[in-house]
């Protein structure tokens, strides 16, 4: 019934349809009910329902579809409810719901979808879907939601973003970050941002990937600043022990301050610290190379820490 306007409600619970069901351009002032319906058109389009406009809800709980379900451009101000659905179109698109607008999009406890899910540029206030429901291939660029349910650790959600057929999609990471910040889970939001940087790193040339690995290992791209403190503490301990056991010779014995291994190691590590030890003493042999290592490590840690913090602050 392309373009039809049947009235307040359209009820077709437990409907079984073989071949393609067409509802393109349908306008319903009330709600559409397809609970327990079966649309069967394997390898084809089982439900063709582009630009459908619903006054309230579209319920298709326990929907069984073999073939593509096409809801592109539809508007559902209430629930677009596909809870407990079975969507299957192996090798093709199982659910095409891009450019849709919905109050809530439910895929709660649906079976794992067989085939691609396309939700590009779809907007909803609530997206209720577990990671286990997503198929091996998704299209999520431009998908916007305020709340993501159920509430799960970031690690459970991140794997889905690696399945996007468009490759690295920055917007998907930013949207997931925003969803965690919306519920006040800043730790999860930082985890998503760190995962985004790691994924972005795989798209960069070799020199940039090497710099990225260094930032990741030292300060977690600024999202793990305590790593820098750990590295500095470890290097400070090494320097203090090494130069405490083998003090460097003074450059001018009559002018040099008393040697302090801790202050000397701090002078080497921290670019803005000056206790007067580094300028007064000169290590030799392997200890001179250790001094070079501490100086370079201090600069690298300071640079990556500042760069990471600046990136975090600018995004917040």
């Amino acid at each position: 019934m392309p373009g039809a306007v049947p009235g307040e409600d359209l009820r077709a619970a437990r409907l079984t349809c073989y071949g393609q069901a067409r509802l393109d351009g349908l306008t319903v002032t009330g709600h559409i009910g397809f609970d327990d319906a079966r649309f069967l058109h394997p390898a084809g389009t089982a439900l063709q329902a582009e630009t459908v406009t619903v006054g309230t809800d579209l319920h298709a709980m326990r929907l069984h579809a073999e073939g593509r379900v096409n809801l592109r451009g539809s508007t559902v101000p209430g629930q677009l409810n596909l809870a407990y659905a079975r969507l299957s179109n192996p090798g093709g698109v199982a659910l095409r719901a891009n450019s849709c607008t919905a109050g809530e999009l439910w895929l709660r406890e649906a079976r794992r979808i067989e085939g691609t899910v396309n939700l590009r540029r779809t907007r909803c206030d609530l997206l209720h879907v577990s990671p286990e429901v997503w198929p091996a291939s998704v299209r999520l660029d431009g998908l916007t939601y305020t709340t993501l349910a159920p509430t799960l650790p970031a690690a459970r959600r991140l794997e889905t973003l690696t399945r996007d057929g468009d490759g690295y999609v920055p917007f998907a990471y930013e949207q997931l970050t925003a969803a965690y910040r919306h519920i006040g889970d800043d730790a999860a939001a930082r985890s998503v941002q760190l995962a985004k940087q790691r994924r972005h790193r795989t798209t960069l040339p070799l020199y940039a990937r090497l710099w990225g690995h260094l930032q990741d290992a030292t300060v977690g791209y600024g999202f793990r600043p305590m790593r820098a403190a750990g590295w500095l503490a470890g290097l400070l301990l090494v320097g203090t022990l090494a130069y405490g056991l083998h003090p460097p010779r003074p450059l001018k014995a009559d002018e040099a301050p008393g040697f302090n291994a801790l202050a000397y190691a701090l002078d080497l590590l921290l670019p803005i610290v000056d206790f007067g030890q580094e300028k007064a003493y000169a290590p030799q042999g392997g200890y001179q190379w250790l001094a070079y290592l501490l100086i370079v490590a201090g600069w690298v840690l300071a640079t990556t820490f500042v760069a990471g913090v600046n990136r975090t602050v600018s995004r917040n």
Side-chain angles (χ1 to χ4, degrees):
M1 55 176 70
V5 184
E8 293 186 358
D9 299 329
L10 173 62
R11 301 177 186 273
R14 299 183 179 84
L15 169 72
T16 297
C17 179
Y18 296 93
Q20 184 183 105
R22 296 197 62 193
L23 300 174
D24 288 340
L26 180 69
T27 298
V28 176
T29 58
H31 76 271
I32 294 178
F34 283 145
D35 290 346
D36 299 296
R38 301 170 70 228
F39 294 95
L40 308 175
H41 191 195
T45 299
L47 176 59
Q48 177 69 21
E50 291 192 358
T51 62
V52 168
T53 300
V54 183
T56 55
D57 303 323
L58 193 163
H59 280 190
M61 297 177 64
R62 297 172 299 279
L63 174 71
H64 177 191
E66 296 181 11
R68 183 172 67 167
V69 173
N70 185 5
L71 302 173
R72 184 187 68 84
S74 294
T75 301
V76 183
Q79 283 188 355
L80 175 50
N81 194 333
L82 300 172
Y84 310 100
R86 296 168 56 190
L87 306 179
S88 177
N89 190 25
V93 177
L95 176 61
R96 185 186 184 196
N98 55 308
S99 301
C100 289
T101 300
E104 300 178 1
L105 175 54
W106 287 61
L107 283 162
R108 177 184 177 185
E109 296 189 41
R111 289 195 183 183
R112 181 181 176 89
I113 298 171
E114 299 178 8
T116 299
V117 170
N118 183 351
L119 295 179
R120 290 175 179 153
R121 300 176 301 281
T122 287
R123 301 175 64 87
C124 58
D125 184 56
L126 170 67
L127 177 61
H128 197 307
V129 56
S130 297
E132 295 78 11
V133 173
W134 295 114
S137 177
V138 296
R139 301 288 191 278
L140 302 178
D141 195 9
L143 170 64
T144 303
Y145 49 87
T146 303
T147 304
L148 186 59
T151 301
L152 297 170
R156 293 279 308 279
R157 295 289 185 185
L158 284 167
E159 197 275 333
T160 300
L161 304 189
T162 66
R163 306 179 195 175
D164 202 298
D166 294 324
Y168 167 59
V169 178
F171 185 88
Y173 288 89
E174 292 298 330
Q175 179 58 67
L176 184 56
T177 298
Y180 278 115
R181 285 178 177 159
H182 179 71
I183 61 174
D185 193 342
D186 292 332
R190 288 193 297 270
S191 294
V192 175
Q193 284 293 296
L194 178 56
K196 177 189 174 185
Q197 293 300 323
R198 289 171 173 168
R199 184 78 187 281
H200 176 57
R201 185 173 67 211
T202 64
T203 68
L204 299 176
L206 178 60
Y207 72 89
R209 292 200 304 271
L210 293 175
W211 176 244
H213 279 293
L214 184 59
Q215 291 189 77
D216 193 359
T218 52
V219 293
Y221 286 98
F223 300 107
R224 300 288 187 269
M226 290 308 297
R227 286 186 183 178
W231 280 100
L232 285 171
L235 291 171
L236 180 62
L237 178 62
V238 170
T240 301
L241 291 175
Y243 295 114
L245 294 172
H246 301 277
R249 64 177 179 82
L251 292 175
K252 296 180 179 180
D254 55 340
E255 298 180 7
F259 179 73
N260 183 294
L262 176 61
Y264 183 71
L266 282 171
D267 258 356
L268 295 174
L269 271 173
L270 303 180
I272 61 173
V273 171
D274 185 4
F275 291 112
Q277 296 280 315
E278 180 185 358
K279 297 176 181 178
Y281 292 89
Q284 295 180 324
Y287 295 98
Q288 184 177 21
W289 286 104
L290 176 60
Y292 294 154
L293 174 63
L294 293 177
I295 293 170
V296 171
W299 275 104
V300 169
L301 286 169
T303 302
T304 54
F305 178 78
V306 171
V309 169
N310 284 341
R311 178 166 50 240
T312 303
V313 170
S314 65
R315 282 174 182 156
N316 290 337

